[in-house]
Amino acid sequence: MIATVKRAPPLEGSIHVPGDKSISHRALILGAVADGESRVRGLSQGADVQSTASCLRALGVAVDGEVIAGQGLRGLRQARGPLDCGNSGTTMRLLAGLLSAQQFTSELTGDQSLSRRPMDRVVTPLQHMGALATWPPLRVGGRTPLRGIEYSTPVPSAQVKSAVLLAGLYAEGETTVVEPVRTRDHTEVMLAAMGADVTVDGLRVAVCAAQRLQPLHMHIPGDFSAAAFWLVAGGLVGGSDVRLLGVGVNPTRTALADLLTTVGLRIDRANPRFEAHEPVADLRVRRAVDMRPINVDAAMAARMIDELPVLAVAATQIEGRSVIAGAAELRVKESDRLYAMEAGLSAMGADITASEDGWVINGPRRLEGARVDSVGDHRIAMALAVAALIAHGKTEIEGAECVDISYPEFFDQLDYLA
């Protein structure tokens, strides 16, 4: 599919972004091993989350709309074949942690892109816990019980942290993960809401073995990573006034909003509340005035890793040199996002150079419509669509159907706001 996006008039309106993808994965997985039925409204309908739901069904868990029939911590059954995780690294890594503690062996597979992503990051700590875990292909489980460990993650990764904590629910003693920088904490927040023994002390997160988890009842907040595209678009398109309703504002997720506010965007919050210990608010973004150059270091990059492609778009319109560094992780996502954004934005006239771990971007530059390639990566497609809203002429985005991975309604909502 080729999506055609033209320079936009002021963006205006109120929208709900999809349910948070990270929270949706975790609600499904933890709901599957809860004691009893969980009701979770607002689950992401993206392909990644559907992969998680499909894998759980193969493990004997009934997932019907917003209802998850929890089987208890020891009630999963062996799938008849490999579990297909599609394009979802979260599905593969989190299920690897959960399934490593089961008495049966599971094999987890995925599409070509997922098969290239580094899974040794999760295999290594699981092996330290005494699990049978090998890769490639990724096979886990068949040896119990596990033992609790203290594990220092060499690369900031909420997925690896979550995998170890999920395995820790079954391990003898305490399981502790020590992070180099704080990553999104949805797993530990949800575990606490379900009655698990979880302790958070700075960069240390610990969990003890659980006998049961209470069922979960919540409405999934809007995905901040999805909202990020509209925050940048609303800030760049003159005269815009965009409201994003019911967005998750967990402090481990909102570094992009904090940075954009610091460099000159107008982002307001209203109607704050909580859903299963997760903070939620309505966001309003309006045109930025006199934005200052962006400088992102490794600690900041880890906290906004999914939002960095659209941040690069914002940097093309800022006076001076912006530097985004410490983001080598972008090279091993669904695509090499550093290269993909350099190629796409350069084709549109931006002055952007990819480095080993980020970009150097000189601005402002007048962007022109062009034919660009999403490389099958949903976040690249959406970031380039935001760039197209401020480019002169029309932009054609190849492979735009990949937005279905996380945000099937993206182009419909773009048409609505424009």
Side-chain angles (χ1 to χ4, degrees):
M1 165 186 158
I2 296 175
T4 300
V5 183
K6 298 180 180 179
R7 185 176 178 86
L11 304 177
E12 189 170 359
S14 299
I15 60 172
H16 290 272
V17 297
D20 188 283
K21 188 158 74 84
S22 294
I23 298 176
S24 293
H25 284 297
R26 289 157 173 82
L28 285 169
I29 291 170
L30 287 172
V33 293
D35 268 14
E37 188 175 272
S38 293
R39 291 187 175 270
V40 182
R41 293 172 293 149
L43 283 164
S44 168
Q45 297 304 303
D48 276 6
V49 173
Q50 296 308 308
S51 291
T52 292
S54 178
C55 288
L56 292 172
R57 292 187 184 104
L59 292 162
V61 181
V63 180
D64 184 11
E66 65 183 34
V67 180
I68 308 160
Q71 302 300 298
L73 285 163
R74 290 159 182 83
L76 299 179
R77 69 175 185 228
Q78 186 170 18
R80 293 182 177 179
L83 296 166
D84 185 0
C85 302
N87 188 247
S88 177
T90 304
T91 303
M92 182 171 279
R93 291 189 175 117
L94 267 62
L95 283 180
L98 183 70
L99 295 174
S100 71
Q102 307 302 318
Q103 293 183 343
F104 52 83
T105 300
S106 299
E107 180 176 333
L108 298 103
T109 64
D111 65 12
Q112 186 176 10
S113 170
L114 183 58
S115 298
R116 293 194 300 265
R117 297 177 68 179
M119 292 299 152
D120 52 334
R121 295 178 181 178
V122 71
V123 166
T124 297
L126 294 177
Q127 289 175 338
H128 290 335
M129 297 179 76
L132 291 174
T134 58
W135 176 81
L138 183 56
R139 292 193 180 99
V140 295
R143 177 195 290 163
T144 58
L146 306 185
R147 58 178 177 272
I149 61 169
E150 179 171 308
Y151 184 69
S152 297
T153 56
V155 176
S157 172
Q159 294 177 4
V160 173
K161 173 179 66 175
S162 297
V164 175
L165 293 176
L166 289 172
L169 294 173
Y170 298 83
E172 296 176 344
E174 185 177 80
T175 300
T176 302
V177 180
V178 183
E179 301 187 278
V181 298
R182 192 179 182 205
T183 64
R184 57 188 65 178
D185 63 357
H186 303 304
T187 298
E188 46 266 48
V189 168
M190 195 172 293
L191 282 171
M194 298 174 77
D197 185 357
V198 180
T199 304
V200 180
D201 182 11
L203 299 177
R204 301 172 65 89
V205 183
V207 66
C208 293
Q211 295 302 311
R212 65 182 300 271
L213 295 176
Q214 299 167 8
L216 187 67
H217 305 289
M218 70 178 298
H219 190 289
I220 303 289
D223 195 321
F224 181 84
S225 294
F229 298 102
W230 307 121
L231 293 179
V232 172
L236 295 181
V237 178
S240 294
D241 189 353
V242 177
R243 291 174 173 83
L244 308 169
L245 306 178
V247 178
V249 288
N250 183 308
T252 64
R253 294 290 297 280
T254 56
L256 177 79
D258 299 337
L259 175 64
L260 291 176
T261 300
T262 299
V263 301
L265 260 70
R266 299 171 63 190
I267 301 174
D268 300 317
R269 298 188 186 187
N271 194 21
R273 63 266 196 200
F274 284 87
E275 284 284 350
H277 300 189
E278 288 281 355
V280 181
D282 301 335
L283 304 180
R284 181 186 186 190
V285 60
R286 286 167 285 175
R287 167 75 175 181
V289 179
D290 298 327
M291 290 181 69
R292 295 173 290 282
I294 292 166
N295 285 283
V296 172
D297 61 18
M300 296 172 66
R303 296 183 61 203
M304 60 178 87
I305 195 72
D306 288 335
E307 295 81 54
L308 291 177
V310 78
L311 181 62
V313 175
T316 69
Q317 302 305 299
I318 297 174
E319 180 75 38
R321 172 169 290 194
S322 292
V323 178
I324 298 172
E329 183 72 8
L330 290 180
R331 292 202 178 275
V332 292
K333 290 288 190 177
E334 287 86 333
S335 70
D336 181 340
R337 289 178 176 168
L338 295 180
Y339 168 77
M341 287 306 297
E342 178 190 45
L345 290 177
S346 293
M348 299 175 75
D351 182 350
I352 175 172
T353 303
S355 65
E356 286 299 313
D357 67 347
W359 303 282
V360 176
I361 304 168
N362 295 298
R365 289 294 187 273
R366 173 187 165 106
L367 300 185
E368 301 286 348
R371 183 81 170 244
V372 295
D373 189 355
S374 73
V375 297
D377 189 320
H378 55 129
R379 300 202 192 278
I380 299 301
M382 291 184 281
L384 292 174
V386 171
L389 294 174
I390 57 172
H392 295 265
K394 69 178 182 180
T395 298
E396 296 178 322
I397 304 170
E398 297 179 3
E401 69 276 5
C402 64
V403 301
D404 290 347
I405 290 170
S406 64
Y407 201 159
E409 309 91 349
F410 176 80
F411 286 108
D412 288 339
Q413 291 190 338
L414 186 154
D415 289 341
Y416 168 75
L417 291 173

